[in-house]
Amino acid sequence: MTAGFQLDALDLAALLCSRVCHDVINPVGAIVNGLEVLEDEDDASMKAFALDLIKKSSRNASARLQFARIAFGAAGSAGASIDLGDAENVARGFIQDEKVTLSWSAPRQFMPKNKVKLLLNLLVVATTTIPRGGSINAKVTGDPEAPTFEVVSLGGNSRIPPGLISLLAGEPENGTLDSHLIQPYYTGLIARAAGMSVAIETIDGGVRITAAPV
């Protein structure tokens, strides 16, 4: 079924770019601050702190950009396949931190690009269901051409964010989108392009998201 809400291609591109910029602005800003400290401070301990900040923030920015390249970008020519092992690596770099841990259960195989993009975007959606942190378990089963994804998030105060189900279905509740809402909307677009349907439900202590062939 085609969603009634339609987003102009230029608006989609602009909102996705805003989303990527939002993801990398903090670590890039931290790098700039660290460099300023190195230039202005003579204290050895402050210089060491600044250098450590630069290193951590550089890794963070790099991980977020590598993730965005696959999750939001072209990541190869049309119809290309992506190694699930590469997807796991960028997912761990993007998601796993002091608040959220990622468990990944998937065979090392190539899968159509849009299906891998969908899986990565489902992981991002899952992070929004555990605002206080917790764990995310991603599982891939089935044939590479017709896989099934299960993403389970567990954590304190877990919930399905308001409007999320409508966004995944391509129908934002107020009829408008911004850079904060574009990612789940885009996830729904990718799912439909990949010939898969997405379902989300609350479970004991968390939220389960599944995607299966239509």
Side-chain angles (χ1 to χ4, degrees):
M1 181 175 65
T2 302
F5 176 82
Q6 298 294 326
L7 182 65
D8 182 81
L10 289 177
D11 289 336
L12 175 63
L15 289 170
L16 284 175
C17 286
S18 294
R19 168 64 196 232
V20 173
C21 291
H22 176 270
D23 284 343
V24 300
I25 192 66
N26 285 339
V28 170
I31 293 170
V32 173
N33 292 337
L35 290 172
E36 290 176 349
V37 171
L38 286 180
E39 290 178 351
D40 299 336
E41 283 285 345
D42 293 326
D43 183 76
S45 63
M46 286 298 296
K47 284 182 175 291
F49 171 80
L51 186 58
D52 184 59
L53 176 64
I54 292 170
K55 290 179 179 178
K56 289 180 178 178
S57 299
S58 297
R59 287 194 294 268
N60 191 340
S62 177
R64 289 177 176 274
L65 287 172
Q66 290 181 57
F67 182 89
R69 178 178 175 270
I70 297 180
F72 304 129
S77 59
S81 295
I82 297 175
D83 189 339
L84 279 180
D86 293 336
E88 178 185 1
N89 289 336
V90 299
R92 290 193 182 282
F94 179 80
I95 291 176
Q96 193 151 320
D97 56 26
E98 68 277 3
K99 287 182 59 180
V100 181
T101 58
L102 174 65
S103 175
W104 181 278
S105 176
R108 186 69 186 258
Q109 60 188 12
F110 282 87
M111 186 172 285
K113 178 175 64 177
N114 276 348
K115 290 180 171 56
V116 176
K117 289 164 71 72
L118 173 60
L119 176 59
L120 293 180
N121 275 278
L122 291 178
L123 293 177
V124 179
V125 171
T127 65
T128 68
T129 68
I130 45 174
R132 294 182 181 176
S135 63
I136 295 175
N137 179 29
K139 185 178 181 180
V140 179
T141 56
D143 185 89
E145 296 296 327
T148 296
F149 303 146
E150 180 184 70
V151 179
V152 175
S153 55
L154 300 172
N157 198 34
S158 61
R159 81 287 187 272
I160 299 175
L164 175 58
I165 294 176
S166 297
L167 287 166
L168 290 170
E171 294 287 354
E173 290 185 340
N174 61 0
T176 60
L177 289 171
D178 58 27
S179 60
H180 298 290
L181 301 176
I182 190 60
Q183 190 276 325
Y185 176 83
Y186 177 72
T187 302
L189 288 180
I190 290 295
R192 291 185 284 279
M196 300 181 73
S197 62
V198 177
I200 183 168
E201 61 181 338
T202 57
I203 59 174
D204 185 24
V207 174
R208 177 188 291 117
I209 306 172
T210 55
V214 175

